[in-house]
Amino acid sequence: MLAAVAVLLAVSGGVRATVGGLRISARSPLPAAVIAVAAASAWWLLARRAKSITRDLDEAWAAIEQRGVWLVVAVAIASGAVSAMFATNSAAGADASGYLSEAAQWAAGRLYYQEPLAGIVGAFDAWLTTPLGWRPGPFPGWQSPTYPPGLPLLMALPYAFGGTAAAAFVVTLASALAVWATGTIATRLAGGAAGIIAAVAIATSPIFLYQSVQPMSDVPVSAAWMLMWVLLVQRGDKPLGLSFIAGIACAIAVLIRPNLAPLAAVPLFAIGWNRRRLIGFSIPVALAGAGLMWLQWQWYGSPLRSGYGAADELFTLANTAGNAGRYFSWLVATSPLLLVAPIGVVMLRRERFTQALATFAGLVVVAYLVYAVFDVWSYLRFLLPMMTVAAVFTGVAFAAALRRAPAWSRVAAVLIVVLGLAAFGVSQARARETFRLADRQRHVSQTAEFLATLPTHTVVVAGEQSGSLRYYTGLSVLRWDAATVESLVSALVALGAAGKPVVIALDAWEQAPFRAKLGAVPSVSLEWPPAFEAGTSHRTRVWRLGDRDTFLRGERVATERVP
């Protein structure tokens, strides 16, 4: 354990975080490394003197195989701790703000968001007052959430009691649950060594780490699927209650990620022809499907239409080649050892459960090969449900290889594999700034704090952070990226006549496209200094429209800067 701590501190650059007001800092790997070497040396000297080195190693291997479940629990707890320490607790961007703002609506008992600005500018374009994460609803001024209801429903109760941080903690719990379930399945299939390797493989996967610190759905949906599978892999006579609970886990997964709903049929194969268990599993899944279709009918006008659009708009075979190359290259770059998984599948290919689990993983890949093409590595997150399964069979394959090694070398080999997986994964996550995401996203909450000092009837012109800033401040927004030049100008004229002050809030990268689109409109030309600027590597600036006249009169416009 101390060796693992030393390696992780070395490759991650150390840990410095605040959890619940408690500051945690560990920068140097040297103390842990020294203690680990001292402990190993002391054992070797004592065991050599007692001529028990081989016996001790045999007993250690037996303990790993028989009681590896407790080490899996330890890895899961560590995964949850990492998620908590580096959690962004931020509504930055469309996804995070969409899930959190929808959770706020559920906590308040509302299906829709009613935009008060619609009566003034809604006639120009319903999308104009609709931030990212939302879409125009069935009635003027009503807005429906873009995102599925599963994760926001899980977040709603924590949000009601603890706000953003409590809602985001759902992802931390899901991180620990996903790791535990992955390791537990591997343990039941192939012993303790397989479970430990599987748990570490997924817990230290860069994309898992990256998503475990953000309030998004990828880790929770993976946790729900794996909880379902761990309940179905129970050995011996499986009680009806476990099938029902597995059905609840599957229902949650469907509500979180509806495009994978057809995969709910795969577990039926693992259950077999036990009518009572099939019914017990199917009831919650069917209820979730019916509820989801009703919500989609209310929100989007059709039970088969999602917030992202119709299926034929999202999925096409033409995307297959582009996605296959991207996903494969990202997987090789970040989690190459998961490519060992097919070997583990082949080893257990005669088991019904293996066949079901491998089919599920393959169908997840198929579902996203035909989905929209993205160019950023973080979209590997779509495949996390498959990667958790791949981690299971990677553990199976490595454990089988270790059992063929000489008995005296197995414990050291397990340690090398685990430390190698962890070191590579954490170093790759660090290179992708996973552990700095909270700092990178802080500019959004800082901007919101500034906007909260403005009059409550202020309107914010925004794009990338439109959902975030409305979530944090409750201020109405105008989407510059969704508006035509004519509709935005007409809206600004109407707001001026209504006596509403207007500000423009843009991330640094948005300024060039904003000027390219609207630079010819004098009132939003951004030729005057911003009133506020926040952030380090990622910055947001805020301009008051009223400052333009001040600037043109030759008077100074002060800029408040927050690092």
Side-chain angles (χ1 to χ4, degrees):
M1 183 63 73
L2 287 170
V5 170
V7 169
L8 294 178
L9 287 176
V11 299
S12 68
V15 173
R16 184 169 56 188
T18 301
V19 181
L22 176 65
R23 187 175 182 82
I24 300 171
S25 179
R27 307 293 293 176
S28 173
L30 189 59
V34 168
I35 296 172
V37 170
S41 300
W43 165 79
W44 186 81
L45 289 171
L46 292 172
R48 184 184 180 194
R49 182 178 301 172
K51 298 181 180 180
S52 63
I53 292 177
T54 300
R55 185 180 71 247
D56 288 355
L57 290 173
D58 286 345
E59 291 175 353
W61 175 256
I64 288 173
E65 286 286 72
Q66 296 168 13
R67 294 188 288 275
V69 63
W70 296 109
L71 289 175
V72 168
V73 170
V75 175
I77 293 172
S79 177
V82 169
S83 173
M85 284 192 291
F86 294 99
T88 63
N89 293 326
S90 171
D95 290 342
S97 68
Y99 288 120
L100 289 168
S101 58
E102 187 179 344
Q105 290 297 107
W106 282 113
R110 294 193 292 264
L111 282 180
Y112 302 93
Y113 185 92
Q114 297 187 37
E115 174 52 61
L117 200 62
I120 301 175
V121 302
F124 302 119
D125 181 358
W127 286 98
L128 185 60
T129 57
T130 306
L132 288 175
W134 293 81
R135 56 185 298 123
F139 306 105
W142 290 32
Q143 296 172 3
S144 303
T146 298
Y147 297 97
L151 180 59
L153 281 170
L154 293 176
M155 289 177 163
L157 186 61
Y159 177 87
F161 287 98
T164 299
F169 193 71
V170 168
V171 179
T172 293
L173 295 177
S175 302
L177 178 60
V179 171
W180 170 80
T182 300
T184 300
I185 293 171
T187 298
R188 291 175 181 164
L189 291 177
I196 296 166
I197 293 170
V200 172
I202 195 61
T204 60
S205 168
I207 191 60
F208 185 88
L209 287 167
Y210 195 83
Q211 294 305 126
S212 72
V213 300
Q214 302 183 74
M216 294 169 62
S217 66
D218 307 278
V219 170
V221 75
S222 300
W225 282 119
M226 293 308 283
L227 176 60
M228 177 200 74
W229 287 116
V230 82
L231 292 168
L232 295 179
V233 78
Q234 290 280 356
R235 298 297 189 186
D237 186 27
K238 305 173 184 69
L240 177 62
L242 284 182
S243 297
F244 183 73
I245 298 171
I248 292 175
C250 183
I252 292 171
V254 167
L255 289 173
I256 295 175
R257 194 67 63 80
N259 67 304
L260 296 181
L263 275 63
V266 178
L268 302 179
F269 177 74
I271 293 172
W273 297 108
N274 184 315
R275 186 173 63 180
R276 293 179 69 242
R277 292 186 64 228
L278 286 172
I279 293 174
F281 176 87
S282 301
I283 287 174
V285 178
L287 290 175
L292 178 66
M293 294 177 71
W294 181 83
L295 283 173
Q296 291 182 160
W297 177 43
Q298 297 297 311
W299 284 340
Y300 316 123
S302 168
L304 301 180
R305 186 178 183 86
S306 75
Y308 304 106
D312 58 357
E313 298 171 355
L314 301 172
F315 301 94
T316 172
L317 290 174
N319 294 332
T320 303
N323 276 327
R326 286 168 174 81
Y327 288 140
F328 183 75
S329 63
W330 294 334
L331 191 61
V332 169
T334 61
S335 300
L337 285 185
L338 293 186
L339 297 176
V340 174
I343 298 174
V345 174
V346 171
M347 289 177 174
L348 302 179
R349 64 188 180 278
R350 297 187 184 279
E351 295 193 17
R352 177 190 290 267
F353 184 82
T354 297
Q355 296 166 5
L357 200 55
T359 300
F360 168 81
L363 290 175
V364 171
V365 175
V366 169
Y368 285 107
L369 284 178
V370 297
Y371 194 60
V373 178
F374 299 93
D375 290 320
V376 182
W377 84 276
S378 61
Y379 283 95
L380 184 59
R381 61 192 173 88
F382 289 156
L383 299 189
L384 266 176
M386 177 278 291
M387 293 175 68
T388 52
V389 175
V392 168
F393 291 112
T394 297
V396 170
F398 271 104
L402 290 172
R403 292 189 189 98
R404 294 186 177 92
W408 59 266
S409 67
R410 292 172 186 168
V411 174
V414 168
L415 185 61
I416 290 171
V417 170
V418 166
L419 292 182
L421 280 168
F424 181 81
V426 172
S427 65
Q428 290 296 310
R430 181 190 182 193
R432 288 162 173 77
E433 297 194 316
T434 298
F435 307 116
R436 297 187 59 214
L437 277 175
D439 288 334
R440 287 175 51 188
Q441 295 182 3
R442 189 167 291 117
H443 63 104
V444 178
S445 58
Q446 291 171 332
T447 301
E449 290 171 3
F450 170 76
L451 294 177
T453 66
L454 303 180
T456 56
H457 60 297
T458 298
V459 177
V460 183
V461 177
E464 177 68 15
Q465 303 303 340
S466 54
S468 309
L469 296 178
R470 189 176 79 174
Y471 168 77
Y472 278 123
T473 66
L475 299 177
S476 295
V477 299
L478 295 181
R479 284 269 305 282
W480 73 266
D481 53 327
T484 64
V485 175
E486 293 75 16
S487 65
L488 185 60
V489 169
S490 298
L492 292 175
V493 170
L495 293 173
K500 291 184 176 291
V502 178
V503 299
I504 302 171
L506 303 175
D507 282 354
W509 68 268
E510 291 183 280
Q511 293 172 40
F514 182 92
R515 286 190 170 102
K517 181 176 184 177
L518 298 162
V521 181
S523 61
V524 293
S525 60
L526 305 186
E527 58 190 312
W528 65 98
F532 180 81
E533 183 174 2
T536 52
S537 60
H538 292 66
R539 304 190 69 79
T540 300
R541 296 182 176 92
V542 179
W543 289 262
R544 291 190 184 94
L545 263 62
D547 286 343
R548 179 175 181 270
D549 291 339
T550 301
F551 177 75
L552 293 178
R553 289 196 302 267
E555 300 176 21
R556 179 175 177 272
V557 174
T559 301
E560 178 184 345
R561 290 183 171 85
V562 178

